[in-house]
Structure formats: C-alpha cells, structure tokens
Amino acid sequence: MPIIRKYQMSGLFAAVLLLTACGGNTPPDHRSPVTLPLYTEGDADNGAIIYKDACGQCHQLNAGLNKKGPQLMNIYGAPAAELKDYTYSEGLKKSGWVWDAKTLDPYIADAEKAMLNSKMLSNPMPDAKERADVIAYLSTLRAAAPIVEDDKK
C-alpha cells in the first residue's frame, strides 16, 4: 500500500473517531430510588465488610463508575440489567429478574450456577449468613435520583 494511501486511511479513521465522540456528554445512568423496605434478615454492617472484600473489586457505588461489574447504588428492588451505561449478559437482560433477597441470594451464592453464561465471575459464597449480610447491606444503598438540568427549569 503506498504511503499516501496509508495516511488517507489514518486520517479517515481519526475523523470517524472524532465524529463518534462528538455526541455530547451523556450523563451516567442511574437506578430509581429504592422503594422496598430494608432487608433485616442480615447484618448490614458486617455485609459492608464482606462487600468490600468480595464485591468491591468489580462494583462501585456511584452512577457512571462501572468497573468489571455495574455500579450497585439503588440495586435492591431494581430490575436486573437496567443501566444503559453497562453491557450485561444476554441471559441477565432476558431474565426479568428484580434484585431482591429471592434473586440476590442464589446469584451471590454462585452466579454461574444461577445464571448460565453470567458475566459475574466471582467466587461462590456458600455461607448463607454472609449472603444475608451482603443483601442487608445492598438494601441500605439508597440515593435520591440526580437532578437533571431540564428539571431545574
């Protein structure tokens, strides 16, 4: 390939990248505020410690700060796979699940067993008390919906 042709292709590629980046700043997606009552069958304080060790490497608690896994603020009572700024597995998208104790418990116990082709590749958590503590902690993660610029007018 002649050098001139190579530079034309590089320029074209750069232009395409610039155009795709000009879509404006899309605000980070967030979940609606939690409406379910706190889950009280576990110890939320102990759940926070377990969460930090077992979940914190892959999950953040702030909108727009997805890591390997999606952020988890307002996860308790939320429909599965609802954040538009995270790419979920097809199975989770089609599950129809709502994240409550009934769905979180088996998923935290062994995500790969609970959901075929799960993207969550964590170690299984066989201890039911630890899972209840994590679920109790997740049920405390509550934040108000962010104020959108259009709402201020």
Side-chain angles (χ1 to χ4, degrees):
M1 176 183 288
I3 293 177
I4 293 173
R5 179 95 169 130
K6 195 182 290 187
Y7 286 121
Q8 287 174 336
M9 292 301 285
S10 296
L12 179 63
F13 182 69
V16 169
L17 280 177
L18 285 172
L19 288 174
T20 58
C22 292
N25 289 341
T26 303
D29 201 5
H30 65 281
R31 294 180 188 88
S32 298
V34 177
T35 58
L36 292 179
L38 290 172
Y39 180 72
T40 58
E41 294 184 32
D43 177 349
D45 292 334
N46 191 48
I49 295 166
I50 297 167
Y51 172 90
K52 183 178 178 188
D53 290 340
C55 314
Q57 291 179 359
C58 297
H59 295 282
Q60 293 278 353
L61 301 178
N62 299 312
L65 293 180
N66 301 312
K67 292 171 89 176
K68 289 180 186 176
Q71 61 89 0
L72 297 180
M73 185 55 67
N74 293 341
I75 191 70
Y76 194 67
E82 77 173 326
L83 295 177
K84 292 176 184 29
D85 63 357
Y86 183 77
T87 305
Y88 296 93
S89 69
E90 285 303 311
L92 202 53
K93 286 186 216 176
K94 294 175 182 175
S95 70
W97 288 1
V98 171
W99 292 121
D100 57 15
K102 182 180 169 188
T103 53
L104 283 165
D105 186 63
Y107 199 68
I108 294 169
D110 190 339
E112 292 181 67
K113 186 185 272 186
M115 171 70 57
L116 220 55
N117 299 317
S118 172
K119 286 179 65 175
M120 189 161 102
L121 302 175
S122 64
N123 292 327
M125 189 179 291
D127 187 310
K129 177 162 177 6
E130 286 184 357
R131 293 194 310 271
D133 292 352
V134 170
I135 294 167
Y137 173 66
L138 293 174
S139 79
T140 69
L141 300 177
R142 297 165 183 247
I147 297 172
V148 180
E149 289 297 317
D150 292 345
D151 292 346
K152 292 180 181 178
K153 294 177 183 175

